[in-house]
Amino acid sequence: MKDLFSPGSLLTVAGAVLTVIGSVAYATDSPNVSLPTIFYGIPIFLGGLALKSSELPPPARLTPAAQFRELRESTGTKEQLKLLKDVVRWRYGQKAHLESSLEALKLWDEENPPQLQSIAEYDHGGRYALEMVFDLGDVPREHWHEKAARLGRFFGPGLEASLEDGEADLLTVQLRQPCP
């Protein structure tokens, strides 16, 4: 359902509707309607198609946005909030979410990069925490475990990361503040 309401989809549908209206108006000899709708419809349609071709949908958000709002606002670090805001939006022209971060951490494979599958928020000892599930792609699981200590520091001062191996090629990264 979320694919239906992406910006690329909305522009493609709007451009297609304008183009069809303009074509019908042209066929029925209504120049006041046909010229503007075709003139605007075709470029909007093509722009929507261009966006659709480079679209990266947000990962599944496993916890409703409102569920941890109070905890997020009271104990979440600005880095955690920025990370959450960054990954729950549509991306264009990228192969994966957190592409530049994974490249900097040397957890990147150009042919088959890791893909963020889902993100969840949770309470870790009264503090706000994030849990991200990655499909590892062609990056070996051992590389992730070698970088575990650096992952938390990379995403923000005072954060720690823990890794849990999942089934097949899945890896769970928990990003949290240390308990007091």
Side-chain angles (χ1 to χ4, degrees), residues 81-122:
L81 301 178
K82 183 179 176 189
L83 176 67
L84 178 67
K85 185 178 177 183
D86 184 52
V87 300
V88 296
R89 64 188 177 105
W90 290 89
R91 307 294 298 200
Y92 293 92
Q94 292 185 343
K95 290 184 177 183
H97 289 281
L98 303 173
E99 182 175 322
S100 60
S101 299
L102 294 173
E103 285 177 353
L105 288 164
K106 308 261 189 277
L107 295 171
W108 187 256
D109 181 79
E110 194 63 39
E111 299 299 318
N112 189 12
Q115 297 291 328
L116 181 59
Q117 299 294 313
S118 64
I119 188 161
E121 300 167 283
Y122 68 99

Short mmCIF file of all heavy atoms in Angstrom, two decimals, residues 81-122:
data_model
loop_
_atom_site.label_atom_id
_atom_site.label_comp_id
_atom_site.label_asym_id
_atom_site.label_seq_id
_atom_site.Cartn_x
_atom_site.Cartn_y
_atom_site.Cartn_z
N LEU A 81 17.22 10.35 16.64
CA LEU A 81 16.06 10.97 15.99
C LEU A 81 16.35 11.27 14.53
O LEU A 81 15.49 11.07 13.66
CB LEU A 81 15.65 12.24 16.74
CG LEU A 81 15.29 12.05 18.22
CD1 LEU A 81 14.96 13.39 18.85
CD2 LEU A 81 14.18 11.06 18.39
N LYS A 82 17.55 11.75 14.24
CA LYS A 82 17.94 12.03 12.86
C LYS A 82 17.99 10.74 12.04
O LYS A 82 17.53 10.71 10.90
CB LYS A 82 19.29 12.73 12.84
CG LYS A 82 19.75 13.14 11.46
CD LYS A 82 21.09 13.84 11.51
CE LYS A 82 21.57 14.14 10.11
NZ LYS A 82 22.93 14.63 10.07
N LEU A 83 18.53 9.69 12.63
CA LEU A 83 18.61 8.40 11.94
C LEU A 83 17.21 7.88 11.62
O LEU A 83 16.94 7.45 10.50
CB LEU A 83 19.37 7.39 12.81
CG LEU A 83 19.47 5.97 12.27
CD1 LEU A 83 20.31 5.93 11.01
CD2 LEU A 83 20.05 5.04 13.32
N LEU A 84 16.31 7.93 12.59
CA LEU A 84 14.94 7.46 12.37
C LEU A 84 14.26 8.28 11.28
O LEU A 84 13.66 7.72 10.36
CB LEU A 84 14.13 7.54 13.66
CG LEU A 84 12.67 7.12 13.55
CD1 LEU A 84 12.56 5.63 13.25
CD2 LEU A 84 11.91 7.48 14.81
N LYS A 85 14.39 9.58 11.35
CA LYS A 85 13.77 10.46 10.36
C LYS A 85 14.32 10.18 8.96
O LYS A 85 13.59 10.22 7.98
CB LYS A 85 14.01 11.92 10.75
CG LYS A 85 13.33 12.92 9.87
CD LYS A 85 13.59 14.34 10.35
CE LYS A 85 12.97 15.34 9.41
NZ LYS A 85 13.27 16.72 9.81
N ASP A 86 15.61 9.89 8.89
CA ASP A 86 16.26 9.65 7.60
C ASP A 86 15.78 8.35 6.95
O ASP A 86 15.56 8.32 5.75
CB ASP A 86 17.77 9.61 7.79
CG ASP A 86 18.51 9.46 6.48
OD1 ASP A 86 18.23 10.24 5.55
OD2 ASP A 86 19.36 8.55 6.38
N VAL A 87 15.62 7.29 7.72
CA VAL A 87 15.31 6.00 7.10
C VAL A 87 13.83 5.75 6.86
O VAL A 87 13.49 4.85 6.11
CB VAL A 87 15.92 4.81 7.89
CG1 VAL A 87 17.42 4.92 7.97
CG2 VAL A 87 15.29 4.66 9.25
N VAL A 88 12.94 6.53 7.47
CA VAL A 88 11.51 6.27 7.27
C VAL A 88 10.91 7.13 6.15
O VAL A 88 9.71 7.25 6.04
CB VAL A 88 10.69 6.45 8.56
CG1 VAL A 88 11.10 5.45 9.61
CG2 VAL A 88 10.79 7.86 9.10
N ARG A 89 11.75 7.66 5.29
CA ARG A 89 11.25 8.45 4.17
C ARG A 89 11.68 7.82 2.85
O ARG A 89 12.58 6.99 2.80
CB ARG A 89 11.71 9.90 4.26
CG ARG A 89 13.19 10.10 4.17
CD ARG A 89 13.56 11.56 4.47
NE ARG A 89 14.99 11.74 4.44
CZ ARG A 89 15.64 12.34 3.45
NH1 ARG A 89 14.99 12.83 2.42
NH2 ARG A 89 16.94 12.46 3.50
N TRP A 90 11.01 8.23 1.81
CA TRP A 90 11.36 7.75 0.46
C TRP A 90 12.69 8.33 0.06
O TRP A 90 12.98 9.50 0.32
CB TRP A 90 10.28 8.18 -0.54
CG TRP A 90 9.00 7.46 -0.33
CD1 TRP A 90 7.97 7.83 0.48
CD2 TRP A 90 8.60 6.23 -0.92
NE1 TRP A 90 6.97 6.90 0.43
CE2 TRP A 90 7.33 5.90 -0.44
CE3 TRP A 90 9.21 5.36 -1.84
CZ2 TRP A 90 6.65 4.76 -0.82
CZ3 TRP A 90 8.53 4.23 -2.22
CH2 TRP A 90 7.27 3.93 -1.71
N ARG A 91 13.53 7.51 -0.57
CA ARG A 91 14.84 7.96 -1.05
C ARG A 91 14.88 7.80 -2.56
O ARG A 91 14.25 6.90 -3.11
CB ARG A 91 15.97 7.12 -0.43
CG ARG A 91 15.95 7.02 1.08
CD ARG A 91 16.22 8.32 1.74
NE ARG A 91 17.54 8.78 1.38
CZ ARG A 91 18.23 9.65 2.04
NH1 ARG A 91 17.74 10.19 3.12
NH2 ARG A 91 19.42 10.02 1.65
N TYR A 92 15.65 8.65 -3.21
CA TYR A 92 15.76 8.60 -4.67
C TYR A 92 17.23 8.63 -5.07
O TYR A 92 18.01 9.39 -4.52
CB TYR A 92 15.00 9.78 -5.29
CG TYR A 92 13.52 9.63 -5.07
CD1 TYR A 92 12.90 10.19 -3.97
CD2 TYR A 92 12.76 8.87 -5.94
CE1 TYR A 92 11.55 10.02 -3.74
CE2 TYR A 92 11.40 8.69 -5.73
CZ TYR A 92 10.81 9.27 -4.62
OH TYR A 92 9.47 9.07 -4.41
N GLY A 93 17.58 7.77 -6.02
CA GLY A 93 18.93 7.74 -6.55
C GLY A 93 19.93 7.01 -5.67
O GLY A 93 21.13 7.17 -5.85
N GLN A 94 19.46 6.25 -4.71
CA GLN A 94 20.36 5.49 -3.84
C GLN A 94 20.05 4.00 -3.96
O GLN A 94 18.92 3.62 -4.25
CB GLN A 94 20.21 5.93 -2.39
CG GLN A 94 20.69 7.32 -2.14
CD GLN A 94 20.64 7.69 -0.66
OE1 GLN A 94 19.98 7.04 0.13
NE2 GLN A 94 21.35 8.74 -0.31
N LYS A 95 21.05 3.19 -3.69
CA LYS A 95 20.86 1.74 -3.74
C LYS A 95 20.30 1.18 -2.45
O LYS A 95 19.68 0.13 -2.43
CB LYS A 95 22.19 1.04 -4.03
CG LYS A 95 22.70 1.24 -5.43
CD LYS A 95 23.96 0.44 -5.64
CE LYS A 95 24.45 0.57 -7.06
NZ LYS A 95 25.62 -0.26 -7.30
N ALA A 96 20.58 1.87 -1.32
CA ALA A 96 20.17 1.37 -0.02
C ALA A 96 20.07 2.52 0.98
O ALA A 96 20.72 3.56 0.81
CB ALA A 96 21.17 0.33 0.49
N HIS A 97 19.27 2.31 2.02
CA HIS A 97 19.23 3.28 3.12
C HIS A 97 20.57 3.26 3.84
O HIS A 97 21.22 2.23 3.95
CB HIS A 97 18.10 2.93 4.10
CG HIS A 97 16.75 3.18 3.54
ND1 HIS A 97 16.20 4.43 3.48
CD2 HIS A 97 15.84 2.35 2.97
CE1 HIS A 97 15.00 4.37 2.92
NE2 HIS A 97 14.78 3.10 2.60
N LEU A 98 20.98 4.39 4.35
CA LEU A 98 22.24 4.56 5.07
C LEU A 98 23.44 4.22 4.20
O LEU A 98 24.49 3.78 4.69
CB LEU A 98 22.25 3.70 6.35
CG LEU A 98 21.11 3.94 7.33
CD1 LEU A 98 21.15 2.93 8.46
CD2 LEU A 98 21.17 5.35 7.88
N GLU A 99 23.31 4.46 2.91
CA GLU A 99 24.37 4.11 1.96
C GLU A 99 25.71 4.74 2.32
O GLU A 99 26.72 4.05 2.42
CB GLU A 99 23.95 4.55 0.55
CG GLU A 99 24.93 4.22 -0.53
CD GLU A 99 24.41 4.56 -1.91
OE1 GLU A 99 23.22 4.37 -2.19
OE2 GLU A 99 25.23 5.03 -2.71
N SER A 100 25.74 6.04 2.55
CA SER A 100 27.01 6.70 2.84
C SER A 100 27.59 6.24 4.19
O SER A 100 28.81 6.11 4.34
CB SER A 100 26.86 8.22 2.81
OG SER A 100 25.91 8.64 3.76
N SER A 101 26.73 5.97 5.16
CA SER A 101 27.20 5.49 6.46
C SER A 101 27.82 4.11 6.34
O SER A 101 28.89 3.84 6.90
CB SER A 101 26.04 5.45 7.46
OG SER A 101 25.51 6.73 7.65
N LEU A 102 27.16 3.23 5.61
CA LEU A 102 27.69 1.87 5.45
C LEU A 102 28.98 1.88 4.64
O LEU A 102 29.89 1.09 4.92
CB LEU A 102 26.64 0.97 4.80
CG LEU A 102 25.40 0.71 5.65
CD1 LEU A 102 24.36 -0.06 4.85
CD2 LEU A 102 25.75 -0.01 6.92
N GLU A 103 29.08 2.78 3.67
CA GLU A 103 30.33 2.91 2.92
C GLU A 103 31.46 3.37 3.83
O GLU A 103 32.58 2.85 3.76
CB GLU A 103 30.16 3.88 1.75
CG GLU A 103 29.39 3.32 0.59
CD GLU A 103 29.17 4.33 -0.53
OE1 GLU A 103 29.50 5.53 -0.36
OE2 GLU A 103 28.68 3.92 -1.58
N ALA A 104 31.19 4.36 4.67
CA ALA A 104 32.22 4.87 5.58
C ALA A 104 32.66 3.81 6.59
O ALA A 104 33.83 3.77 6.98
CB ALA A 104 31.70 6.11 6.32
N LEU A 105 31.75 2.94 6.99
CA LEU A 105 32.06 1.87 7.93
C LEU A 105 32.69 0.66 7.25
O LEU A 105 32.99 -0.33 7.91
CB LEU A 105 30.79 1.44 8.67
CG LEU A 105 30.26 2.41 9.71
CD1 LEU A 105 28.83 2.07 10.08
CD2 LEU A 105 31.16 2.40 10.93
N LYS A 106 32.84 0.72 5.94
CA LYS A 106 33.38 -0.40 5.14
C LYS A 106 32.48 -1.64 5.24
O LYS A 106 32.95 -2.77 5.28
CB LYS A 106 34.80 -0.74 5.55
CG LYS A 106 35.75 0.44 5.57
CD LYS A 106 36.58 0.51 4.33
CE LYS A 106 37.68 1.54 4.42
NZ LYS A 106 37.32 2.88 4.14
N LEU A 107 31.17 -1.39 5.29
CA LEU A 107 30.17 -2.46 5.30
C LEU A 107 29.33 -2.38 4.03
O LEU A 107 28.12 -2.46 4.06
CB LEU A 107 29.27 -2.33 6.54
CG LEU A 107 29.97 -2.52 7.88
CD1 LEU A 107 29.04 -2.16 9.02
CD2 LEU A 107 30.48 -3.95 8.01
N TRP A 108 30.00 -2.19 2.91
CA TRP A 108 29.31 -1.92 1.65
C TRP A 108 29.84 -2.84 0.57
O TRP A 108 31.04 -3.11 0.49
CB TRP A 108 29.53 -0.47 1.25
CG TRP A 108 28.75 -0.06 0.06
CD1 TRP A 108 29.21 0.12 -1.21
CD2 TRP A 108 27.36 0.23 0.00
NE1 TRP A 108 28.20 0.50 -2.05
CE2 TRP A 108 27.05 0.58 -1.32
CE3 TRP A 108 26.34 0.23 0.95
CZ2 TRP A 108 25.77 0.92 -1.73
CZ3 TRP A 108 25.06 0.57 0.54
CH2 TRP A 108 24.79 0.92 -0.77
N ASP A 109 28.95 -3.32 -0.27
CA ASP A 109 29.32 -4.06 -1.46
C ASP A 109 28.58 -3.40 -2.62
O ASP A 109 27.35 -3.27 -2.58
CB ASP A 109 28.92 -5.53 -1.34
CG ASP A 109 29.31 -6.31 -2.57
OD1 ASP A 109 30.49 -6.67 -2.68
OD2 ASP A 109 28.44 -6.53 -3.44
N GLU A 110 29.30 -2.96 -3.62
CA GLU A 110 28.70 -2.20 -4.72
C GLU A 110 27.66 -3.01 -5.50
O GLU A 110 26.64 -2.49 -5.93
CB GLU A 110 29.80 -1.71 -5.66
CG GLU A 110 29.36 -0.65 -6.63
CD GLU A 110 28.90 0.63 -5.96
OE1 GLU A 110 29.50 1.06 -4.97
OE2 GLU A 110 27.90 1.21 -6.43
N GLU A 111 27.93 -4.30 -5.68
CA GLU A 111 27.03 -5.13 -6.48
C GLU A 111 25.77 -5.54 -5.71
O GLU A 111 24.67 -5.56 -6.26
CB GLU A 111 27.77 -6.39 -6.97
CG GLU A 111 28.95 -6.09 -7.86
CD GLU A 111 28.55 -5.35 -9.14
OE1 GLU A 111 27.51 -5.70 -9.73
OE2 GLU A 111 29.28 -4.42 -9.52
N ASN A 112 25.93 -5.92 -4.46
CA ASN A 112 24.81 -6.39 -3.65
C ASN A 112 24.95 -5.81 -2.23
O ASN A 112 25.38 -6.49 -1.32
CB ASN A 112 24.79 -7.93 -3.62
CG ASN A 112 23.53 -8.47 -2.98
OD1 ASN A 112 22.57 -7.76 -2.74
ND2 ASN A 112 23.56 -9.76 -2.68
N PRO A 113 24.55 -4.54 -2.06
CA PRO A 113 24.75 -3.88 -0.76
C PRO A 113 23.75 -4.36 0.29
O PRO A 113 22.70 -4.92 -0.04
CB PRO A 113 24.50 -2.40 -1.10
CG PRO A 113 23.58 -2.43 -2.25
CD PRO A 113 23.95 -3.65 -3.05
N PRO A 114 24.06 -4.14 1.56
CA PRO A 114 23.11 -4.45 2.63
C PRO A 114 21.85 -3.60 2.48
O PRO A 114 21.93 -2.43 2.11
CB PRO A 114 23.85 -4.08 3.91
CG PRO A 114 25.28 -3.96 3.53
CD PRO A 114 25.31 -3.61 2.09
N GLN A 115 20.71 -4.19 2.77
CA GLN A 115 19.43 -3.50 2.66
C GLN A 115 18.76 -3.46 4.03
O GLN A 115 18.63 -4.50 4.69
CB GLN A 115 18.51 -4.19 1.66
CG GLN A 115 19.01 -4.21 0.25
CD GLN A 115 19.03 -2.83 -0.40
OE1 GLN A 115 18.19 -1.98 -0.10
NE2 GLN A 115 19.99 -2.61 -1.27
N LEU A 116 18.33 -2.27 4.44
CA LEU A 116 17.58 -2.13 5.68
C LEU A 116 16.17 -2.66 5.45
O LEU A 116 15.42 -2.11 4.64
CB LEU A 116 17.57 -0.67 6.12
CG LEU A 116 16.86 -0.34 7.42
CD1 LEU A 116 17.47 -1.09 8.59
CD2 LEU A 116 16.91 1.16 7.68
N GLN A 117 15.80 -3.73 6.13
CA GLN A 117 14.50 -4.37 5.94
C GLN A 117 13.42 -3.78 6.84
O GLN A 117 12.29 -3.60 6.41
CB GLN A 117 14.60 -5.87 6.22
CG GLN A 117 15.56 -6.59 5.32
CD GLN A 117 15.08 -6.58 3.88
OE1 GLN A 117 13.93 -6.86 3.60
NE2 GLN A 117 15.97 -6.22 2.97
N SER A 118 13.78 -3.50 8.10
CA SER A 118 12.79 -2.97 9.04
C SER A 118 13.48 -2.18 10.13
O SER A 118 14.68 -2.32 10.37
CB SER A 118 11.98 -4.11 9.66
OG SER A 118 12.79 -4.94 10.44
N ILE A 119 12.69 -1.34 10.77
CA ILE A 119 13.18 -0.56 11.91
C ILE A 119 12.09 -0.56 12.97
O ILE A 119 10.90 -0.53 12.66
CB ILE A 119 13.58 0.89 11.50
CG1 ILE A 119 14.25 1.60 12.66
CG2 ILE A 119 12.38 1.66 10.97
CD1 ILE A 119 15.06 2.81 12.25
N ALA A 120 12.52 -0.65 14.22
CA ALA A 120 11.59 -0.66 15.34
C ALA A 120 12.16 0.20 16.46
O ALA A 120 13.37 0.33 16.59
CB ALA A 120 11.37 -2.09 15.84
N GLU A 121 11.27 0.77 17.23
CA GLU A 121 11.66 1.54 18.40
C GLU A 121 11.33 0.70 19.63
O GLU A 121 10.37 -0.06 19.61
CB GLU A 121 10.88 2.85 18.45
CG GLU A 121 11.09 3.73 17.24
CD GLU A 121 10.08 4.85 17.17
OE1 GLU A 121 8.93 4.58 16.78
OE2 GLU A 121 10.44 5.99 17.51
N TYR A 122 12.12 0.85 20.69
CA TYR A 122 11.80 0.12 21.91
C TYR A 122 12.39 0.84 23.12
O TYR A 122 13.18 1.77 22.99
CB TYR A 122 12.26 -1.34 21.84
CG TYR A 122 13.75 -1.57 21.80
CD1 TYR A 122 14.44 -1.92 22.95
CD2 TYR A 122 14.47 -1.44 20.62
CE1 TYR A 122 15.81 -2.13 22.93
CE2 TYR A 122 15.83 -1.66 20.58
CZ TYR A 122 16.50 -2.00 21.74
OH TYR A 122 17.84 -2.21 21.71
#
